[in-house]
């Protein structure tokens, strides 16, 4: 493998091997068409990667289409839209939209690929106010299994439009999106952090859950628990600590009043809640920006059982067999509204995400029992947060959605040129 190919295969997720038989470094839609036609002629499966954040598992053989060079973004401030090509990262869209007083429905990490994120639904930092990123897509340019470049809108191809937004990874290579932007210039956001070795983690979670019942739909938030190792590479205030935090994002003018009950939980390690320009919204979560190995999964909950959630915290805390990050997103609000796409589980009340740093075998020993505890109140799983769980397809879609996707898959990709092992509708 030459140095160019090695560089092409590098990405944010370092925990899985990537050994395709052929690599196409696409710089244009024509390059993607050539890659898909080559794969079809040779009867090889196609995998697509931009940034490598959401890599679901190892890649062995077949054709890999790398879209990282397709990194152009343009904003139409009059129509409040952006054209986003397949290799664009969210930070680029935020920066391009900000001068016009606009913002995309991006996630917490600016280095995540905008297109793949949106095809999986896209649960952003302002999700309860504006819904999923997929709900704001105007059109998609996609190369389907027949080697054609199609522009897909709700009007021109409603079935394919519906399938791509929520399950797009199994229907083709999306080369460009036109997305709607929202008129947000500033927001109130940040986090409150508590020392989980000095306060009861279950008590903090209980206070957070009670607080979510009092906030308006326009306020989005999450709870996180992170047991940091005692390593010199970490900032001194994090080394060896078990940090519990509540993250908040709100575009209203009453942010200080709304978060006041959170400050009553107890003494804080850090308080970064403030008014900020939207260009600083990535500081709310301060996700790591360096490549590393991780494994994780998720559970969309129909209800919140505090006793069970407290036990999950106990099992994934500092005494667990692998460093495990817990994040619980408050759902509802605009996320519960119907939309013409295949994003499932809109009735969910909370999303639990568990992510371990390190190898898969060690992770399963921690995560499997934790998700088993949540099973009685679990509706399903979120495809964007199945990090390495490519051997599990159950729960990513409800049965009605899965059957409709399977029918459309047989229509648009009967030979499974784009095998979607995670989603489980490829047959």
């Amino acid at each position: 493998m030459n140095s160019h190919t090695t560089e092409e295969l590098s990405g944010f997720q370092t925990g899985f091997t990537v050994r395709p038989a052929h690599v196409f470094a696409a710089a244009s839609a024509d390059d993607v068409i050539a890659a898909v036609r080559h794969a079809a002629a040779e009867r090889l499966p196609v995998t697509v990667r931009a940034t490598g954040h959401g890599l679901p598992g190892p890649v062995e053989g077949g054709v890999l289409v790398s879209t990282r060079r397709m990194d152009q973004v343009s904003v139409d401030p009059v129509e409040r839209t952006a054209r986003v090509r397949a290799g664009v990262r969210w930070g680029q869209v935020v920066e391009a939209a900000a001068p016009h007083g606009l913002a995309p429905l991006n996630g917490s990490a600016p280095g995540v690929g905008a297109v793949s994120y949106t095809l999986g639904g896209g649960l952003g930092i302002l999700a309860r106010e504006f819904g999923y990123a997929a709900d704001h897509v105007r059109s998609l340019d996609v190369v389907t299994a027949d080697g054609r470049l199609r522009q897909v809108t709700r009007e021109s191809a409603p079935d394919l439009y519906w399938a791509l937004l929520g399950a797009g990874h199994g229907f083709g290579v999306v080369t460009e999106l036109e997305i709607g932007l929202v008129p947000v210039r500033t927001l109130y956001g940040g986090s409150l952090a508590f020392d989980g070795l000095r306060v009861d983690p279950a008590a903090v979670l209980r206070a957070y859950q009670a607080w979510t019942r009092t906030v308006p739909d326009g306020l989005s938030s999450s709870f996180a628990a992170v047991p940091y190792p005692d390593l010199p590479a970490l900032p001194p205030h994090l080394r060896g600590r078990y940090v519990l935090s509540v993250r908040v994002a709100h575009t209203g003018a009453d942010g200080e009043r709304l978060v006041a009950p959170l400050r009553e939980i107890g003494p804080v390690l850090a308080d970064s809640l403030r008014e900020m320009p939207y260009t600083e919204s990535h500081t709310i979560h301060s996700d790591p920006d360096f490549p590393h190995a991780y494994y994780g999964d998720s559970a969309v909950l129909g209800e919140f059982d505090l006793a069970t959630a407290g036990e999950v915290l106990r099992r994934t805390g500092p005494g667990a067999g692998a460093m495990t990050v817990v994040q619980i997103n408050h759902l509802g609000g605009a996320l519960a509204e119907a939309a013409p796409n295949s994003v499932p589980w809109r009735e969910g009340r909370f999303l639990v995400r568990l992510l371990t740093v390190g190898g898969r075998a060690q992770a399963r020993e921690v995560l499997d029992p934790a998700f088993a505890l949540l099973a009685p109140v679990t509706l399903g799983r979120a495809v964007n947060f199945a990090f390495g769980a490519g051997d599990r397809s159950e729960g990513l879609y409800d049965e009605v959605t899965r059957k409709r996707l399977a029918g459309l898959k047989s229509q648009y990709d009967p030979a499974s040129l784009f095998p979607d092992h995670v989603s489980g509708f490829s047959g």
Side-chain angles (χ1 to χ4, degrees):
M1 184 177 290
N2 60 44
S3 59
H4 172 76
T5 303
T6 301
E7 180 182 357
E8 201 64 47
L9 298 182
S10 64
F12 189 79
Q13 164 65 278
T14 63
F16 306 113
T17 58
V18 181
R19 299 193 192 96
H22 306 276
V23 177
F24 281 77
S28 67
D30 286 341
D31 292 339
V32 175
I33 291 171
V36 170
R37 289 179 177 175
H38 172 79
E42 298 295 325
R43 297 184 179 180
L44 295 172
V46 177
T47 302
V48 185
R49 192 168 76 161
T51 66
H53 276 74
L55 192 67
V59 175
E60 298 286 350
V63 170
L64 176 71
V65 180
S66 171
T67 62
R68 66 172 64 185
R69 289 169 177 76
M70 301 173 66
D71 60 354
Q72 296 80 26
V73 57
S74 61
V75 171
D76 183 333
V78 176
E79 295 295 325
R80 293 182 177 175
T81 60
R83 300 287 303 185
V84 178
R85 300 190 76 198
V88 169
R89 300 170 187 239
W90 272 126
Q92 297 171 255
V93 190
V94 171
E95 293 293 335
H100 309 288
L102 300 171
L105 295 178
N106 56 288
S108 60
V112 168
V115 169
S116 183
Y117 162 98
T118 304
L119 297 182
L123 181 67
I125 56 176
L126 297 177
R128 278 174 45 85
E129 181 174 3
F130 296 108
Y132 288 99
D135 301 344
H136 295 259
V137 173
R138 306 287 183 87
S139 68
L140 311 93
D141 292 356
V142 57
V143 179
T144 46
D146 55 6
R148 289 176 53 196
L149 177 64
R150 306 169 185 246
Q151 185 174 78
V152 176
T153 67
R154 184 180 178 184
E155 294 72 30
S156 67
D159 282 345
L160 186 55
Y161 176 90
W162 176 88
L164 286 167
L165 295 172
H169 310 84
F171 285 87
V173 183
V174 173
T175 61
E176 190 168 329
L177 294 178
E178 181 182 18
I179 60 174
L181 304 173
V182 294
V184 173
R185 190 183 296 273
T186 63
L187 79 162
Y188 179 87
S191 69
L192 288 175
F194 306 88
D195 187 343
L197 298 178
R198 300 183 63 183
V199 299
D200 179 8
V204 177
L205 181 58
R206 182 166 57 250
Y208 170 70
Q209 191 266 350
W211 174 76
T212 62
R213 295 198 297 264
T214 70
V215 300
D217 286 350
L219 188 149
S220 300
S221 69
S222 64
F223 167 92
V226 184
Y228 288 97
D230 188 3
L231 296 175
L234 291 172
H237 71 284
L238 296 179
R239 293 175 193 167
R241 291 190 183 272
Y242 183 35
V243 179
L244 313 173
S245 59
V246 177
R247 294 88 164 261
V248 173
H250 181 53
T251 62
D254 52 351
E256 276 291 319
R257 178 183 64 82
L258 290 171
V259 303
L262 295 175
R263 291 201 168 100
E264 298 175 2
I265 293 174
V268 298
L269 283 173
D271 180 347
S272 65
L273 290 166
R274 68 194 190 281
E275 291 284 341
M276 66 176 74
Y278 195 81
T279 52
E280 295 179 10
S281 60
H282 63 279
T283 65
I284 295 173
H285 290 73
S286 295
D287 293 323
D289 59 0
F290 53 88
H292 58 284
Y294 51 95
Y295 180 94
D297 211 338
S298 62
V300 181
L301 306 185
E303 58 184 270
F304 198 88
D305 184 285
L306 279 168
T308 301
E311 180 62 14
V312 169
L313 281 184
R314 188 186 70 80
R315 296 194 184 195
T316 57
M323 179 185 170
T324 305
V325 177
V326 177
Q327 179 165 312
I328 303 175
N329 289 79
H330 184 206
L331 304 179
L335 294 167
E337 298 175 5
N341 57 49
S342 54
V343 180
W345 313 124
R346 289 178 178 267
E347 68 273 34
R349 294 183 58 198
F350 290 89
L351 171 68
V352 176
R353 298 158 55 183
L354 304 179
L355 185 148
T356 63
V357 178
R360 173 173 164 176
Q362 186 182 28
R364 294 295 291 264
E365 293 179 2
V366 176
L367 300 192
D368 285 358
F371 283 117
L373 286 171
L374 295 170
V377 292
T378 296
L379 299 174
R381 300 159 61 217
V383 67
N384 270 359
F385 305 113
F387 299 126
D391 56 343
R392 293 185 59 228
S393 62
E394 69 275 7
L396 289 170
Y397 301 95
D398 59 87
E399 189 61 15
V400 172
T401 299
R402 191 196 65 77
K403 287 183 177 179
R404 184 178 176 188
L405 287 170
L408 292 170
K409 179 71 170 178
S410 64
Q411 175 183 346
Y412 286 100
D413 184 17
S416 285
L417 191 67
F418 306 104
D420 200 327
H421 303 299
V422 172
S423 300
F425 57 80
S426 297

